[in-house]
Each structure stands twice: as C-alpha cells, then as structure tokens.
Amino acid sequence: MRRTTTLRTGLSALLLLGTWATASALPASAADAPARSTEAPASSALLSAMQRDLGLTRDEAEARLAAEKTATAVERKARHAAGSAYGGSWYDAGSGRLTVAVTRAAHADAVRATGATVQLVRYSARQLDTAKKSIDALPAPAGVGSWHVDPKANKVIVDVVAAHRDDNDVRAFLTRARQSGPVTVRQTPAAPRTFAAGTVGGDPYYTGNVRCSIGFSVHGGFVTAGHCGSPSAAVYGWDRSYVGNFQGSSFPGNDYAWVNVGSGWWTVPVVLGWGTVSDQLVRGSAEAPVGASVCRSGSTTHWHCGTVLAKNETVNYSQGAVHQMTKTSVCAEPGDSGGSFISGDQAQGVTSGGWGNCGSGGETWHQPVNEILNRYGLRLHTA
C-alpha cells in the first residue's frame, strides 16, 4: 500500500490492519491470560468516550477501569471457588464490586475470600445454560429479538419486539420456551439487524458492494464480522487497494471471519481514534464481566461507549440466529459491522448488529474475540 504524508492516511492504514478492533480476542492458547498491567490504564481516546457516553469525569473513568480490571481477575478465581454451585456473576459500577451468585451457602466463604460479594440463588449457571440451549433449538419467529441467561435475575430473559408481542407465533414460542426452565419475557423496541452498509466514503474496508469495519489485528491478518463477506471474497482497503481475502467466515450461527493481510498492508495492535482522539493500544483479550464498561470503534460512528449487558445471548436476525453473543448498551450504525469492542486495553469482540442508532441510542451485540481466535487458531497482535 502506498503511503502519503497526511496523518489521516497513516491512521487509516493502521485501521485497516486491525485498529478498528472489536472485542474479546486473545491468543487461542491463552484465553484466560491475565491482563497485562501498564502505567496508563487507557488512552485519552477511550477515557474521552467514556466521559461522553457514561457521564463520567476523567478521574471517575480511570477509577472505573481500574476497578473493572480487578473484577475481571476476581471473577476467574471466584468461579473456581464456587465450583458446581456457580450461578454467574456481574459487576456493579456503583460499588465497584463483583457479585457472584452461588446455589449453596457452604461455598459462600470461599467465594468471598476471592474478593467477591456473594448472592444465594436457586439455579446454577449450568442449569440456566441448559435451559437456554433448549430454547436455542426452537425455531424463533421474527418477533423474538434475542434470549440470554441473566445471572442477576437468575433466569433466562427472552426479549420480544414490542410490536409483535401478541403475534400467535411469538406466543407459541414463549409457551415452549417456558417449558425449558425459568424464563422472563421483556420487550425491546426494535428487531436486531446487522450493521453492514453499502459502499460510501470514509475509512472502511470493502468487499463487493458492502462496507464494514476492521476488528482486531491478528498475526497474518485481522478479524471481523462474518456477515461482511464469504470465504475467498476479495477485500479492499479504504483507498480501494487490494488487502487480502476472507480466509474463513461463518454467518448465521456465528458472526465471525478473518481476512489475510498482504500486498503492502501490515498489522498493528491498535484501535483507531479517528484523528480526533489518540489511538488505543491492544494488550490482551481478558473478558470483562457483565456490568463493566466497554467502548467501540467503527468506520461510521467512530468512538462510543456503554456497558456489558449480557453474555452468551442468542440473537435472532432475519438471516437466522447467532449464538454466544455479548450484548452492550453501546450504539452503532450501518458500516460499523466488524469493528472493535474494547475494555481498557483488552480486546472484547467484533461488532455484529443491534437496534437503534447513535442519535437516539440503542443496543449492540458483539461476537467475542476469543471465540474467533480459538476457532481459526489465530493469535491476537498485542502491544
């Protein structure tokens, strides 16, 4: 790829090679590796976005990132201490603490010893996951948006599109879903959709007439969303020069893909700040807990932040269901698909789809990056 003397060209080139990171990626051999400590917990880009989207001061944003990093480490230890009594966990931004649900009081002291708060519940995470898998096997009508295990509610939550809540096929689905275990039905204002877009200007990558965003650099290429392209499809950069091809792609069922990088392009462990804020280095892919802050970078709406709302959610797109997704309160728009979700300096996932927009708000799902790395045997490019 030919370089120019402009800053924008340099940043855009970095972007195509993995600076539009989305997600929970980590070397396939080290999915549970602890986050690497650094002197600066985050770049000004990430802190500025958190201040804007979460209503925090800079000091509050830095303190929250530090507390979430601690909670991420505690979660792994607490889950081991709870054993088969583990009922899930969530982070509370108000207290700065991680809560771990357990089904047996005998395990409470061991879990508290890890630094977590304990809550007794009726159902274990394994029981709830089994109930969700039963729902996954049901044919879902368009009026059902998604479903996931909610550890705080200790139930499986099924989101129904408000305008279709009384449809006969939706009612029939919910009747069968309730037979699988503890289910609560909630309403969502719109059906989920993917965030690919037709060809427009900006800093994207293109395949056919589709524009998407790069997720994270891996050694030899980058990861992105599966709905953006089919295996062997050619990929072109923001300047329309050839980058590589889709080496693997899965959608629906999953929503992930990876593209090899060559022809003068190279990979860097950076999430793009779009020239208005500094870029964010990627240092690992330790998965943030439910309740933690998370930010997204994409070629349409750039930097936006929110919180992790749910994990292992099944999303019912018009093209078919996608499993094991993470739901967030971050907004996104067409063209952001494939882009980076990052928490602190830890990759979280690649943007898949959602509802709403960045003017009125909405929710967005990402495909966890560690799953993508493990599926294709890739290694995250880290700083």
mmCIF file with all atom_site columns, all heavy atoms in Angstrom, residues 308-332:
data_model
loop_
_atom_site.group_PDB
_atom_site.id
_atom_site.type_symbol
_atom_site.label_atom_id
_atom_site.label_alt_id
_atom_site.label_comp_id
_atom_site.label_asym_id
_atom_site.label_entity_id
_atom_site.label_seq_id
_atom_site.pdbx_PDB_ins_code
_atom_site.Cartn_x
_atom_site.Cartn_y
_atom_site.Cartn_z
_atom_site.occupancy
_atom_site.B_iso_or_equiv
_atom_site.pdbx_formal_charge
_atom_site.auth_seq_id
_atom_site.auth_comp_id
_atom_site.auth_asym_id
_atom_site.auth_atom_id
_atom_site.pdbx_PDB_model_num
ATOM 1   N N   . VAL A 1 308 ? -21.485 -3.647  29.423 1.00 0.00 ? 308 VAL A N   1
ATOM 2   C CA  . VAL A 1 308 ? -21.838 -5.014  29.046 1.00 0.00 ? 308 VAL A CA  1
ATOM 3   C C   . VAL A 1 308 ? -23.152 -5.369  29.729 1.00 0.00 ? 308 VAL A C   1
ATOM 4   O O   . VAL A 1 308 ? -23.257 -5.303  30.954 1.00 0.00 ? 308 VAL A O   1
ATOM 5   C CB  . VAL A 1 308 ? -20.733 -5.997  29.459 1.00 0.00 ? 308 VAL A CB  1
ATOM 6   C CG1 . VAL A 1 308 ? -21.146 -7.433  29.116 1.00 0.00 ? 308 VAL A CG1 1
ATOM 7   C CG2 . VAL A 1 308 ? -19.406 -5.651  28.777 1.00 0.00 ? 308 VAL A CG2 1
ATOM 8   N N   . LEU A 1 309 ? -24.168 -5.748  28.953 1.00 0.00 ? 309 LEU A N   1
ATOM 9   C CA  . LEU A 1 309 ? -25.490 -6.041  29.489 1.00 0.00 ? 309 LEU A CA  1
ATOM 10  C C   . LEU A 1 309 ? -25.736 -7.532  29.694 1.00 0.00 ? 309 LEU A C   1
ATOM 11  O O   . LEU A 1 309 ? -26.455 -7.927  30.615 1.00 0.00 ? 309 LEU A O   1
ATOM 12  C CB  . LEU A 1 309 ? -26.575 -5.483  28.562 1.00 0.00 ? 309 LEU A CB  1
ATOM 13  C CG  . LEU A 1 309 ? -26.561 -3.968  28.341 1.00 0.00 ? 309 LEU A CG  1
ATOM 14  C CD1 . LEU A 1 309 ? -27.651 -3.582  27.351 1.00 0.00 ? 309 LEU A CD1 1
ATOM 15  C CD2 . LEU A 1 309 ? -26.740 -3.222  29.657 1.00 0.00 ? 309 LEU A CD2 1
ATOM 16  N N   . ALA A 1 310 ? -25.177 -8.358  28.827 1.00 0.00 ? 310 ALA A N   1
ATOM 17  C CA  . ALA A 1 310 ? -25.424 -9.800  28.917 1.00 0.00 ? 310 ALA A CA  1
ATOM 18  C C   . ALA A 1 310 ? -24.385 -10.539 28.079 1.00 0.00 ? 310 ALA A C   1
ATOM 19  O O   . ALA A 1 310 ? -23.802 -9.976  27.147 1.00 0.00 ? 310 ALA A O   1
ATOM 20  C CB  . ALA A 1 310 ? -26.825 -10.154 28.433 1.00 0.00 ? 310 ALA A CB  1
ATOM 21  N N   . LYS A 1 311 ? -24.174 -11.805 28.433 1.00 0.00 ? 311 LYS A N   1
ATOM 22  C CA  . LYS A 1 311 ? -23.267 -12.667 27.670 1.00 0.00 ? 311 LYS A CA  1
ATOM 23  C C   . LYS A 1 311 ? -24.008 -13.912 27.209 1.00 0.00 ? 311 LYS A C   1
ATOM 24  O O   . LYS A 1 311 ? -25.079 -14.245 27.717 1.00 0.00 ? 311 LYS A O   1
ATOM 25  C CB  . LYS A 1 311 ? -22.059 -13.067 28.525 1.00 0.00 ? 311 LYS A CB  1
ATOM 26  C CG  . LYS A 1 311 ? -21.170 -11.907 28.926 1.00 0.00 ? 311 LYS A CG  1
ATOM 27  C CD  . LYS A 1 311 ? -19.951 -12.410 29.688 1.00 0.00 ? 311 LYS A CD  1
ATOM 28  C CE  . LYS A 1 311 ? -19.053 -11.265 30.111 1.00 0.00 ? 311 LYS A CE  1
ATOM 29  N NZ  . LYS A 1 311 ? -17.833 -11.755 30.809 1.00 0.00 ? 311 LYS A NZ  1
ATOM 30  N N   . ASN A 1 312 ? -23.406 -14.598 26.244 1.00 0.00 ? 312 ASN A N   1
ATOM 31  C CA  . ASN A 1 312 ? -23.960 -15.847 25.729 1.00 0.00 ? 312 ASN A CA  1
ATOM 32  C C   . ASN A 1 312 ? -25.420 -15.682 25.325 1.00 0.00 ? 312 ASN A C   1
ATOM 33  O O   . ASN A 1 312 ? -26.280 -16.495 25.634 1.00 0.00 ? 312 ASN A O   1
ATOM 34  C CB  . ASN A 1 312 ? -23.819 -16.972 26.761 1.00 0.00 ? 312 ASN A CB  1
ATOM 35  C CG  . ASN A 1 312 ? -24.145 -18.336 26.174 1.00 0.00 ? 312 ASN A CG  1
ATOM 36  O OD1 . ASN A 1 312 ? -24.054 -18.539 24.962 1.00 0.00 ? 312 ASN A OD1 1
ATOM 37  N ND2 . ASN A 1 312 ? -24.538 -19.263 27.029 1.00 0.00 ? 312 ASN A ND2 1
ATOM 38  N N   . GLU A 1 313 ? -25.706 -14.582 24.630 1.00 0.00 ? 313 GLU A N   1
ATOM 39  C CA  . GLU A 1 313 ? -27.064 -14.318 24.177 1.00 0.00 ? 313 GLU A CA  1
ATOM 40  C C   . GLU A 1 313 ? -27.246 -14.838 22.750 1.00 0.00 ? 313 GLU A C   1
ATOM 41  O O   . GLU A 1 313 ? -26.351 -14.729 21.919 1.00 0.00 ? 313 GLU A O   1
ATOM 42  C CB  . GLU A 1 313 ? -27.379 -12.821 24.222 1.00 0.00 ? 313 GLU A CB  1
ATOM 43  C CG  . GLU A 1 313 ? -28.796 -12.490 23.796 1.00 0.00 ? 313 GLU A CG  1
ATOM 44  C CD  . GLU A 1 313 ? -29.322 -11.203 24.420 1.00 0.00 ? 313 GLU A CD  1
ATOM 45  O OE1 . GLU A 1 313 ? -28.515 -10.391 24.903 1.00 0.00 ? 313 GLU A OE1 1
ATOM 46  O OE2 . GLU A 1 313 ? -30.548 -11.015 24.432 1.00 0.00 ? 313 GLU A OE2 1
ATOM 47  N N   . THR A 1 314 ? -28.388 -15.397 22.469 1.00 0.00 ? 314 THR A N   1
ATOM 48  C CA  . THR A 1 314 ? -28.741 -15.807 21.114 1.00 0.00 ? 314 THR A CA  1
ATOM 49  C C   . THR A 1 314 ? -29.530 -14.678 20.474 1.00 0.00 ? 314 THR A C   1
ATOM 50  O O   . THR A 1 314 ? -30.549 -14.232 21.017 1.00 0.00 ? 314 THR A O   1
ATOM 51  C CB  . THR A 1 314 ? -29.570 -17.096 21.122 1.00 0.00 ? 314 THR A CB  1
ATOM 52  O OG1 . THR A 1 314 ? -28.783 -18.137 21.696 1.00 0.00 ? 314 THR A OG1 1
ATOM 53  C CG2 . THR A 1 314 ? -29.959 -17.487 19.704 1.00 0.00 ? 314 THR A CG2 1
ATOM 54  N N   . VAL A 1 315 ? -29.071 -14.187 19.318 1.00 0.00 ? 315 VAL A N   1
ATOM 55  C CA  . VAL A 1 315 ? -29.688 -13.061 18.626 1.00 0.00 ? 315 VAL A CA  1
ATOM 56  C C   . VAL A 1 315 ? -30.392 -13.574 17.370 1.00 0.00 ? 315 VAL A C   1
ATOM 57  O O   . VAL A 1 315 ? -29.780 -14.271 16.553 1.00 0.00 ? 315 VAL A O   1
ATOM 58  C CB  . VAL A 1 315 ? -28.633 -12.002 18.242 1.00 0.00 ? 315 VAL A CB  1
ATOM 59  C CG1 . VAL A 1 315 ? -29.299 -10.811 17.560 1.00 0.00 ? 315 VAL A CG1 1
ATOM 60  C CG2 . VAL A 1 315 ? -27.877 -11.539 19.478 1.00 0.00 ? 315 VAL A CG2 1
ATOM 61  N N   . ASN A 1 316 ? -31.653 -13.229 17.208 1.00 0.00 ? 316 ASN A N   1
ATOM 62  C CA  . ASN A 1 316 ? -32.457 -13.752 16.103 1.00 0.00 ? 316 ASN A CA  1
ATOM 63  C C   . ASN A 1 316 ? -32.546 -12.728 14.978 1.00 0.00 ? 316 ASN A C   1
ATOM 64  O O   . ASN A 1 316 ? -33.509 -11.973 14.869 1.00 0.00 ? 316 ASN A O   1
ATOM 65  C CB  . ASN A 1 316 ? -33.856 -14.119 16.608 1.00 0.00 ? 316 ASN A CB  1
ATOM 66  C CG  . ASN A 1 316 ? -34.657 -14.871 15.578 1.00 0.00 ? 316 ASN A CG  1
ATOM 67  O OD1 . ASN A 1 316 ? -34.104 -15.667 14.811 1.00 0.00 ? 316 ASN A OD1 1
ATOM 68  N ND2 . ASN A 1 316 ? -35.953 -14.633 15.538 1.00 0.00 ? 316 ASN A ND2 1
ATOM 69  N N   . TYR A 1 317 ? -31.525 -12.685 14.096 1.00 0.00 ? 317 TYR A N   1
ATOM 70  C CA  . TYR A 1 317 ? -31.549 -11.811 12.931 1.00 0.00 ? 317 TYR A CA  1
ATOM 71  C C   . TYR A 1 317 ? -32.503 -12.383 11.878 1.00 0.00 ? 317 TYR A C   1
ATOM 72  O O   . TYR A 1 317 ? -32.868 -13.560 11.925 1.00 0.00 ? 317 TYR A O   1
ATOM 73  C CB  . TYR A 1 317 ? -30.157 -11.701 12.311 1.00 0.00 ? 317 TYR A CB  1
ATOM 74  C CG  . TYR A 1 317 ? -29.124 -11.004 13.165 1.00 0.00 ? 317 TYR A CG  1
ATOM 75  C CD1 . TYR A 1 317 ? -27.900 -11.614 13.431 1.00 0.00 ? 317 TYR A CD1 1
ATOM 76  C CD2 . TYR A 1 317 ? -29.344 -9.723  13.668 1.00 0.00 ? 317 TYR A CD2 1
ATOM 77  C CE1 . TYR A 1 317 ? -26.926 -10.983 14.180 1.00 0.00 ? 317 TYR A CE1 1
ATOM 78  C CE2 . TYR A 1 317 ? -28.385 -9.085  14.420 1.00 0.00 ? 317 TYR A CE2 1
ATOM 79  C CZ  . TYR A 1 317 ? -27.169 -9.711  14.680 1.00 0.00 ? 317 TYR A CZ  1
ATOM 80  O OH  . TYR A 1 317 ? -26.219 -9.080  15.427 1.00 0.00 ? 317 TYR A OH  1
ATOM 81  N N   . SER A 1 318 ? -32.840 -11.564 10.904 1.00 0.00 ? 318 SER A N   1
ATOM 82  C CA  . SER A 1 318 ? -33.700 -12.042 9.813  1.00 0.00 ? 318 SER A CA  1
ATOM 83  C C   . SER A 1 318 ? -33.023 -13.144 9.010  1.00 0.00 ? 318 SER A C   1
ATOM 84  O O   . SER A 1 318 ? -33.690 -14.008 8.430  1.00 0.00 ? 318 SER A O   1
ATOM 85  C CB  . SER A 1 318 ? -34.075 -10.882 8.890  1.00 0.00 ? 318 SER A CB  1
ATOM 86  O OG  . SER A 1 318 ? -32.910 -10.313 8.301  1.00 0.00 ? 318 SER A OG  1
ATOM 87  N N   . GLN A 1 319 ? -31.677 -13.141 8.988  1.00 0.00 ? 319 GLN A N   1
ATOM 88  C CA  . GLN A 1 319 ? -30.940 -14.173 8.250  1.00 0.00 ? 319 GLN A CA  1
ATOM 89  C C   . GLN A 1 319 ? -30.817 -15.478 9.031  1.00 0.00 ? 319 GLN A C   1
ATOM 90  O O   . GLN A 1 319 ? -30.403 -16.498 8.468  1.00 0.00 ? 319 GLN A O   1
ATOM 91  C CB  . GLN A 1 319 ? -29.530 -13.669 7.905  1.00 0.00 ? 319 GLN A CB  1
ATOM 92  C CG  . GLN A 1 319 ? -29.506 -12.404 7.061  1.00 0.00 ? 319 GLN A CG  1
ATOM 93  C CD  . GLN A 1 319 ? -29.418 -11.141 7.904  1.00 0.00 ? 319 GLN A CD  1
ATOM 94  O OE1 . GLN A 1 319 ? -29.919 -11.097 9.036  1.00 0.00 ? 319 GLN A OE1 1
ATOM 95  N NE2 . GLN A 1 319 ? -28.775 -10.114 7.369  1.00 0.00 ? 319 GLN A NE2 1
ATOM 96  N N   . GLY A 1 320 ? -31.122 -15.464 10.330 1.00 0.00 ? 320 GLY A N   1
ATOM 97  C CA  . GLY A 1 320 ? -31.011 -16.634 11.175 1.00 0.00 ? 320 GLY A CA  1
ATOM 98  C C   . GLY A 1 320 ? -30.411 -16.284 12.525 1.00 0.00 ? 320 GLY A C   1
ATOM 99  O O   . GLY A 1 320 ? -29.893 -15.175 12.729 1.00 0.00 ? 320 GLY A O   1
ATOM 100 N N   . ALA A 1 321 ? -30.466 -17.214 13.468 1.00 0.00 ? 321 ALA A N   1
ATOM 101 C CA  . ALA A 1 321 ? -29.980 -16.971 14.825 1.00 0.00 ? 321 ALA A CA  1
ATOM 102 C C   . ALA A 1 321 ? -28.455 -17.044 14.883 1.00 0.00 ? 321 ALA A C   1
ATOM 103 O O   . ALA A 1 321 ? -27.820 -17.827 14.173 1.00 0.00 ? 321 ALA A O   1
ATOM 104 C CB  . ALA A 1 321 ? -30.579 -17.979 15.788 1.00 0.00 ? 321 ALA A CB  1
ATOM 105 N N   . VAL A 1 322 ? -27.877 -16.213 15.735 1.00 0.00 ? 322 VAL A N   1
ATOM 106 C CA  . VAL A 1 322 ? -26.434 -16.218 16.014 1.00 0.00 ? 322 VAL A CA  1
ATOM 107 C C   . VAL A 1 322 ? -26.265 -16.434 17.515 1.00 0.00 ? 322 VAL A C   1
ATOM 108 O O   . VAL A 1 322 ? -26.920 -15.773 18.321 1.00 0.00 ? 322 VAL A O   1
ATOM 109 C CB  . VAL A 1 322 ? -25.760 -14.905 15.580 1.00 0.00 ? 322 VAL A CB  1
ATOM 110 C CG1 . VAL A 1 322 ? -24.286 -14.915 15.941 1.00 0.00 ? 322 VAL A CG1 1
ATOM 111 C CG2 . VAL A 1 322 ? -25.922 -14.697 14.072 1.00 0.00 ? 322 VAL A CG2 1
ATOM 112 N N   . HIS A 1 323 ? -25.383 -17.345 17.898 1.00 0.00 ? 323 HIS A N   1
ATOM 113 C CA  . HIS A 1 323 ? -25.252 -17.762 19.287 1.00 0.00 ? 323 HIS A CA  1
ATOM 114 C C   . HIS A 1 323 ? -24.005 -17.166 19.962 1.00 0.00 ? 323 HIS A C   1
ATOM 115 O O   . HIS A 1 323 ? -23.090 -16.684 19.309 1.00 0.00 ? 323 HIS A O   1
ATOM 116 C CB  . HIS A 1 323 ? -25.186 -19.285 19.369 1.00 0.00 ? 323 HIS A CB  1
ATOM 117 C CG  . HIS A 1 323 ? -26.322 -19.963 18.664 1.00 0.00 ? 323 HIS A CG  1
ATOM 118 N ND1 . HIS A 1 323 ? -27.610 -19.952 19.158 1.00 0.00 ? 323 HIS A ND1 1
ATOM 119 C CD2 . HIS A 1 323 ? -26.377 -20.657 17.499 1.00 0.00 ? 323 HIS A CD2 1
ATOM 120 C CE1 . HIS A 1 323 ? -28.405 -20.601 18.340 1.00 0.00 ? 323 HIS A CE1 1
ATOM 121 N NE2 . HIS A 1 323 ? -27.682 -21.044 17.320 1.00 0.00 ? 323 HIS A NE2 1
ATOM 122 N N   . GLN A 1 324 ? -24.011 -17.211 21.289 1.00 0.00 ? 324 GLN A N   1
ATOM 123 C CA  . GLN A 1 324 ? -22.866 -16.838 22.136 1.00 0.00 ? 324 GLN A CA  1
ATOM 124 C C   . GLN A 1 324 ? -22.415 -15.392 21.922 1.00 0.00 ? 324 GLN A C   1
ATOM 125 O O   . GLN A 1 324 ? -21.240 -15.080 21.950 1.00 0.00 ? 324 GLN A O   1
ATOM 126 C CB  . GLN A 1 324 ? -21.694 -17.797 21.890 1.00 0.00 ? 324 GLN A CB  1
ATOM 127 C CG  . GLN A 1 324 ? -22.022 -19.226 22.301 1.00 0.00 ? 324 GLN A CG  1
ATOM 128 C CD  . GLN A 1 324 ? -20.875 -20.187 22.048 1.00 0.00 ? 324 GLN A CD  1
ATOM 129 O OE1 . GLN A 1 324 ? -20.258 -20.176 20.972 1.00 0.00 ? 324 GLN A OE1 1
ATOM 130 N NE2 . GLN A 1 324 ? -20.579 -21.008 23.029 1.00 0.00 ? 324 GLN A NE2 1
ATOM 131 N N   . MET A 1 325 ? -23.380 -14.511 21.775 1.00 0.00 ? 325 MET A N   1
ATOM 132 C CA  . MET A 1 325 ? -23.082 -13.097 21.584 1.00 0.00 ? 325 MET A CA  1
ATOM 133 C C   . MET A 1 325 ? -23.061 -12.362 22.927 1.00 0.00 ? 325 MET A C   1
ATOM 134 O O   . MET A 1 325 ? -23.674 -12.807 23.905 1.00 0.00 ? 325 MET A O   1
ATOM 135 C CB  . MET A 1 325 ? -24.133 -12.468 20.680 1.00 0.00 ? 325 MET A CB  1
ATOM 136 C CG  . MET A 1 325 ? -24.257 -13.155 19.330 1.00 0.00 ? 325 MET A CG  1
ATOM 137 S SD  . MET A 1 325 ? -22.994 -12.597 18.190 1.00 0.00 ? 325 MET A SD  1
ATOM 138 C CE  . MET A 1 325 ? -23.864 -11.213 17.490 1.00 0.00 ? 325 MET A CE  1
ATOM 139 N N   . THR A 1 326 ? -22.387 -11.221 22.945 1.00 0.00 ? 326 THR A N   1
ATOM 140 C CA  . THR A 1 326 ? -22.376 -10.336 24.114 1.00 0.00 ? 326 THR A CA  1
ATOM 141 C C   . THR A 1 326 ? -23.167 -9.081  23.779 1.00 0.00 ? 326 THR A C   1
ATOM 142 O O   . THR A 1 326 ? -22.904 -8.428  22.763 1.00 0.00 ? 326 THR A O   1
ATOM 143 C CB  . THR A 1 326 ? -20.936 -9.969  24.506 1.00 0.00 ? 326 THR A CB  1
ATOM 144 O OG1 . THR A 1 326 ? -20.231 -11.147 24.902 1.00 0.00 ? 326 THR A OG1 1
ATOM 145 C CG2 . THR A 1 326 ? -20.934 -8.967  25.662 1.00 0.00 ? 326 THR A CG2 1
ATOM 146 N N   . LYS A 1 327 ? -24.151 -8.759  24.639 1.00 0.00 ? 327 LYS A N   1
ATOM 147 C CA  . LYS A 1 327 ? -24.987 -7.573  24.419 1.00 0.00 ? 327 LYS A CA  1
ATOM 148 C C   . LYS A 1 327 ? -24.448 -6.390  25.199 1.00 0.00 ? 327 LYS A C   1
ATOM 149 O O   . LYS A 1 327 ? -24.041 -6.531  26.353 1.00 0.00 ? 327 LYS A O   1
ATOM 150 C CB  . LYS A 1 327 ? -26.433 -7.853  24.830 1.00 0.00 ? 327 LYS A CB  1
ATOM 151 C CG  . LYS A 1 327 ? -27.361 -6.646  24.627 1.00 0.00 ? 327 LYS A CG  1
ATOM 152 C CD  . LYS A 1 327 ? -28.825 -7.021  24.635 1.00 0.00 ? 327 LYS A CD  1
ATOM 153 C CE  . LYS A 1 327 ? -29.312 -7.508  25.972 1.00 0.00 ? 327 LYS A CE  1
ATOM 154 N NZ  . LYS A 1 327 ? -30.768 -7.785  25.953 1.00 0.00 ? 327 LYS A NZ  1
ATOM 155 N N   . THR A 1 328 ? -24.462 -5.213  24.579 1.00 0.00 ? 328 THR A N   1
ATOM 156 C CA  . THR A 1 328 ? -23.968 -3.994  25.226 1.00 0.00 ? 328 THR A CA  1
ATOM 157 C C   . THR A 1 328 ? -24.950 -2.851  25.003 1.00 0.00 ? 328 THR A C   1
ATOM 158 O O   . THR A 1 328 ? -25.821 -2.920  24.135 1.00 0.00 ? 328 THR A O   1
ATOM 159 C CB  . THR A 1 328 ? -22.594 -3.571  24.647 1.00 0.00 ? 328 THR A CB  1
ATOM 160 O OG1 . THR A 1 328 ? -22.799 -2.971  23.346 1.00 0.00 ? 328 THR A OG1 1
ATOM 161 C CG2 . THR A 1 328 ? -21.658 -4.764  24.517 1.00 0.00 ? 328 THR A CG2 1
ATOM 162 N N   . SER A 1 329 ? -24.783 -1.790  25.773 1.00 0.00 ? 329 SER A N   1
ATOM 163 C CA  . SER A 1 329 ? -25.601 -0.589  25.609 1.00 0.00 ? 329 SER A CA  1
ATOM 164 C C   . SER A 1 329 ? -24.960 0.408   24.657 1.00 0.00 ? 329 SER A C   1
ATOM 165 O O   . SER A 1 329 ? -25.423 1.539   24.540 1.00 0.00 ? 329 SER A O   1
ATOM 166 C CB  . SER A 1 329 ? -25.823 0.084   26.971 1.00 0.00 ? 329 SER A CB  1
ATOM 167 O OG  . SER A 1 329 ? -24.580 0.525   27.512 1.00 0.00 ? 329 SER A OG  1
ATOM 168 N N   . VAL A 1 330 ? -23.904 -0.009  23.958 1.00 0.00 ? 330 VAL A N   1
ATOM 169 C CA  . VAL A 1 330 ? -23.215 0.877   23.019 1.00 0.00 ? 330 VAL A CA  1
ATOM 170 C C   . VAL A 1 330 ? -24.024 0.979   21.725 1.00 0.00 ? 330 VAL A C   1
ATOM 171 O O   . VAL A 1 330 ? -24.535 -0.022  21.226 1.00 0.00 ? 330 VAL A O   1
ATOM 172 C CB  . VAL A 1 330 ? -21.806 0.355   22.705 1.00 0.00 ? 330 VAL A CB  1
ATOM 173 C CG1 . VAL A 1 330 ? -21.045 1.371   21.854 1.00 0.00 ? 330 VAL A CG1 1
ATOM 174 C CG2 . VAL A 1 330 ? -21.041 0.063   23.992 1.00 0.00 ? 330 VAL A CG2 1
ATOM 175 N N   . CYS A 1 331 ? -24.116 2.166   21.153 1.00 0.00 ? 331 CYS A N   1
ATOM 176 C CA  . CYS A 1 331 ? -24.824 2.351   19.885 1.00 0.00 ? 331 CYS A CA  1
ATOM 177 C C   . CYS A 1 331 ? -23.925 1.983   18.707 1.00 0.00 ? 331 CYS A C   1
ATOM 178 O O   . CYS A 1 331 ? -22.703 1.911   18.832 1.00 0.00 ? 331 CYS A O   1
ATOM 179 C CB  . CYS A 1 331 ? -25.280 3.799   19.749 1.00 0.00 ? 331 CYS A CB  1
ATOM 180 S SG  . CYS A 1 331 ? -23.900 4.971   19.556 1.00 0.00 ? 331 CYS A SG  1
ATOM 181 N N   . ALA A 1 332 ? -24.538 1.748   17.553 1.00 0.00 ? 332 ALA A N   1
ATOM 182 C CA  . ALA A 1 332 ? -23.796 1.513   16.313 1.00 0.00 ? 332 ALA A CA  1
ATOM 183 C C   . ALA A 1 332 ? -24.721 1.770   15.145 1.00 0.00 ? 332 ALA A C   1
ATOM 184 O O   . ALA A 1 332 ? -25.946 1.868   15.306 1.00 0.00 ? 332 ALA A O   1
ATOM 185 C CB  . ALA A 1 332 ? -23.247 0.089   16.263 1.00 0.00 ? 332 ALA A CB  1
#
